[in-house]
Amino acid sequence: MSARPIDVMSIYPKDMNIYGDWGNVLTIKRRLALYGYEPVIHAYNQGDPWPEHVDMILGGGGQDSGQEKIADDFFKRADTLRALAQQDVPMLMICGMYQLFGEYFETIDGTKLDGIGIFGVYTEGREKRMIGNLLEHSDQFGDVIGYENHSGQTFLRDGVTPFGHVDHEGCGNNGEDHSEGARVRNVIGTYMHGPLLPKNPKVSDFLINAAATHRYGQFQPQQSDAQKAELAHIDALAASARRVAATRPR
Ligand code: GLN
């Protein structure tokens, strides 16, 4: 079988990578291989060169201080990131990076961090932290299961599509309007740590499909029987993990 590389970029993993977010990168790497693609993983930190190909971008959460640290470099890359979003490159931005993909994040101590405005959302730090398991419903992905831990409350501008809705378990964007995360083109912003992707294969497969389509015009798995069986096994494990996580008290 021919090697079919897919370039996946993890942005700022040194400073923006908490509560297991690196697991998202590992999940994409494994699933891409099981679909018969060659995952090429780039860990991009401040000052690093930008890779030639970018088919998917993954970003994680961080402390307010981590968000301040990356701000300068992040702004230098803002135009590139906005252009890639317009080209339908799939991106998954968790918590702290989700906030910085919005308009701004004003931290609890009054520091205002400008975002790059891919999402029409803004975030304000509050005393109360929103911590615990999070279960939301998304029309596209069904039930999405994860874990949140943030003090920033995020509000969507009129007309902005949330990633999902929190009915019972969790706070989501702000603990008030039941919205969680945001969605623009193939860019997902969400408060879901956990990490998100191992427990939510539908979201992983959406990102992989969009990345393959970006690179090759279509998603075309080339799998041996052993690879199909391994993927089915992983999905069965994910289904068990989802069942347990959904019943855990907050
Ligand atoms: N520092 C941000 C907040 O507390 C983001 C936290 C996170 O990424 N988990 O809201």
Side-chain angles (χ1 to χ4, degrees):
M1 279 183 218
S2 58
R4 298 179 300 165
I6 300 244
D7 287 68
V8 177
M9 218 178 146
S10 158
I11 49 173
Y12 307 112
K14 272 192 200 152
D15 293 298
M16 300 298 294
N17 177 22
I18 51 177
Y19 314 127
D21 289 336
W22 186 254
N24 292 330
V25 181
L26 296 179
T27 299
I28 291 295
K29 185 178 175 195
R30 190 79 196 115
R31 289 183 88 83
L32 275 172
L34 291 174
Y35 282 123
Y37 289 94
E38 182 196 331
V40 181
I41 308 294
H42 307 268
Y44 173 84
N45 290 293
Q46 296 94 301
D48 285 346
W50 196 262
E52 186 188 349
H53 290 286
V54 177
D55 302 308
M56 184 192 301
I57 305 185
L58 303 171
Q63 313 297 335
D64 295 4
S65 56
Q67 292 169 286
E68 286 176 40
K69 265 199 205 163
I70 66 155
D72 284 352
D73 189 89
F74 183 52
F75 265 90
K76 288 187 198 140
R77 301 302 187 183
D79 284 345
T80 305
L81 289 164
R82 283 190 284 256
L84 291 171
Q86 287 302 315
Q87 291 160 26
D88 282 336
V89 169
M91 305 187 196
L92 176 68
M93 293 299 137
I94 310 291
C95 203
M97 285 308 301
Y98 161 46
Q99 294 171 344
L100 295 179
F101 265 50
E103 294 170 8
Y104 67 85
F105 170 36
E106 187 162 349
T107 68
I108 189 78
D109 64 13
T111 308
K112 193 168 177 189
L113 299 172
D114 283 326
I116 62 171
I118 286 182
F119 298 122
V121 310
Y122 60 95
T123 304
E124 286 167 3
R126 300 281 158 85
E127 286 294 342
K128 180 177 165 264
R129 286 198 80 79
M130 290 168 267
I131 307 179
N133 293 331
L134 183 54
L135 171 60
E136 71 189 64
H137 185 78
S138 135
D139 289 343
Q140 186 173 357
F141 304 110
D143 285 343
V144 182
I145 293 170
Y147 164 83
E148 65 183 324
N149 187 345
H150 53 113
S151 63
Q153 276 191 309
T154 299
F155 298 92
L156 310 181
R157 300 281 184 204
D158 283 351
V160 175
T161 309
F163 176 50
H165 293 276
V166 183
D167 296 323
H168 317 288
E169 198 76 34
C171 293
N173 278 329
N174 49 55
E176 291 170 9
D177 65 13
H178 298 276
S179 71
E180 200 292 304
R183 172 76 188 269
V184 163
R185 302 184 82 106
N186 288 335
V187 186
I188 295 171
T190 175
Y191 275 109
M192 291 266 188
H193 297 283
L196 170 71
L197 294 183
K199 281 205 287 296
N200 296 280
K202 282 188 189 163
V203 182
S204 303
D205 286 350
F206 160 75
L207 296 167
I208 286 172
N209 192 318
T213 304
H214 176 258
R215 184 70 172 260
Y216 299 106
Q218 61 181 333
F219 172 54
Q220 211 174 25
Q222 288 178 1
Q223 298 169 281
S224 65
D225 286 347
Q227 285 172 317
K228 279 186 196 159
E230 188 172 340
L231 200 55
H233 175 64
I234 289 174
D235 286 350
L237 287 176
S240 304
R242 290 167 62 80
R243 269 194 303 277
V244 174
T247 56
R248 282 262 171 90
R250 194 164 152 79

